[in-house]
Amino acid sequence: MALNVTKCVVMSFKRGTSILDSQYSLRGIPLKRVCSFKDLGVTMTQSLSPLDHISVITGEARSLLGFIFRSTRDFSSPESLLVLFRALVLPVLEYGSIIWAPYHLYQINLLQSVQRRFVRMLSCRMGFKYFEVPVEEIKGHFHLLPLVLRWEHNDLVLLFKTVNGYLDCPELLASINICVPRGMCSRFHFSQMLSHNSLCL
C-alpha cells in the first residue's frame, strides 16, 4: 500500500505528562509528531480523552440545528423537523460512539444539550416559550431517547455482531469472556475480568 507521506503523522498514546520525542521517518522524510489527530471521522488524543471529539461534534451538531431551523421557517409540522433532526443531527452525535462514548457527566451533558436545544426550538414552533418548555415531557411525546441509551444500543449491537460471527474480528471476540450459565434461569452470560477474578454481568 502506497502511503502519502504528507498525510502521515506520529502520535503516541500514554498516561502521565512525560514527553515522548522519538523520531520516525517514512522513505527518509521525518514525520510530524502531533497531540491529536482525526482518523476516520473520530478525533483522537494522546490521553484517549473523548473531550476534543465531543467539542468538535457538538459544534457541528449545533450548526446543523441552526441550518435546520433557518431553512424551515415555513414548516408547521413538528414531525418534519423530527425527520431532519434524526437524519442530520443524531448521526453526528452517534457516529463511532463505541470508541468515544463518554462516562463523565459534564461531557454527557454537553452532548445532551444539543438534543435539549432542539426540543426547545421545536416546542417554540408549537407555541411554547423557549424557557418554559417542559423538555422531558416533549421528549417523551416524540419518543426521543436519551443519547446515553442510544450509545448503549450501539455497544450492544457491536457485542451481538461480534459474538454471533457477523463481525470478523477474532481479537475482539477473544477479549469477551462468556460465562457458562449454572442453570436454565441464569441471566448472566458475560464476565468482566478484574485482576485474576471474573465478575459476572
Side-chain angles (χ1 to χ4, degrees):
M1 180 175 64
L3 299 176
N4 187 338
V5 180
T6 62
K7 295 183 179 180
C8 294
V9 296
V10 175
M11 183 168 67
S12 300
F13 299 98
K14 60 186 179 66
R15 294 181 177 179
T17 58
S18 59
I19 299 176
L20 300 176
D21 57 358
S22 302
Q23 298 297 316
Y24 297 89
S25 61
L26 185 62
R27 294 201 292 271
I29 301 175
L31 297 177
K32 179 182 178 181
R33 179 173 287 277
V34 297
C35 296
S36 66
F37 187 73
K38 190 172 185 178
D39 185 28
L40 298 178
V42 178
T43 301
M44 308 294 292
T45 63
Q46 289 181 322
S47 64
L48 291 178
S49 167
L51 184 57
D52 283 12
H53 180 72
I54 290 171
S55 298
V56 170
I57 64 174
T58 300
E60 184 179 344
R62 286 175 176 166
S63 296
L64 285 169
L65 277 186
F67 167 76
I68 289 173
F69 282 94
R70 286 194 306 271
S71 304
T72 60
R73 289 190 178 95
D74 298 327
F75 283 33
S76 59
S77 170
E79 286 73 17
S80 299
L81 295 173
L82 281 164
V83 168
L84 291 173
F85 177 72
R86 290 187 171 113
L88 299 178
V89 180
L90 281 183
V92 173
L93 300 175
E94 293 181 10
Y95 173 76
S97 65
I98 56 174
I99 299 172
W100 58 263
Y103 56 89
H104 290 296
L105 187 58
Y106 78 96
Q107 295 177 354
I108 294 173
N109 287 337
L110 184 62
L111 290 157
Q112 296 273 44
S113 68
V114 177
Q115 183 161 276
R116 286 195 299 270
R117 180 175 175 81
F118 168 75
V119 170
R120 290 186 183 278
M121 296 171 74
L122 174 68
S123 300
C124 288
R125 295 281 180 93
M126 300 166 60
F128 288 92
K129 293 183 179 179
Y130 187 84
F131 290 108
E132 297 178 1
V133 174
V135 175
E136 295 304 318
E137 182 180 332
I138 298 297
K139 284 168 59 178
H141 176 74
F142 289 111
H143 307 292
L144 284 171
L145 293 175
L147 293 177
V148 173
L149 293 182
R150 299 182 67 90
W151 299 330
E152 288 180 356
H153 173 265
N154 293 339
D155 293 343
L156 291 172
V157 169
L158 176 68
L159 177 62
F160 174 84
K161 289 182 177 179
T162 304
V163 171
N164 290 279
Y166 295 106
L167 181 65
D168 184 18
C169 187
E171 295 81 4
L172 182 58
L173 181 61
S175 67
I176 300 174
N177 300 300
I178 301 177
C179 290
V180 178
R182 294 183 178 181
M184 296 298 293
C185 297
S186 176
R187 296 181 293 107
F188 304 114
H189 301 289
F190 301 98
S191 63
Q192 179 181 355
M193 296 300 296
L194 296 177
S195 299
H196 297 292
N197 300 316
S198 293
L199 175 65
C200 285
L201 301 175

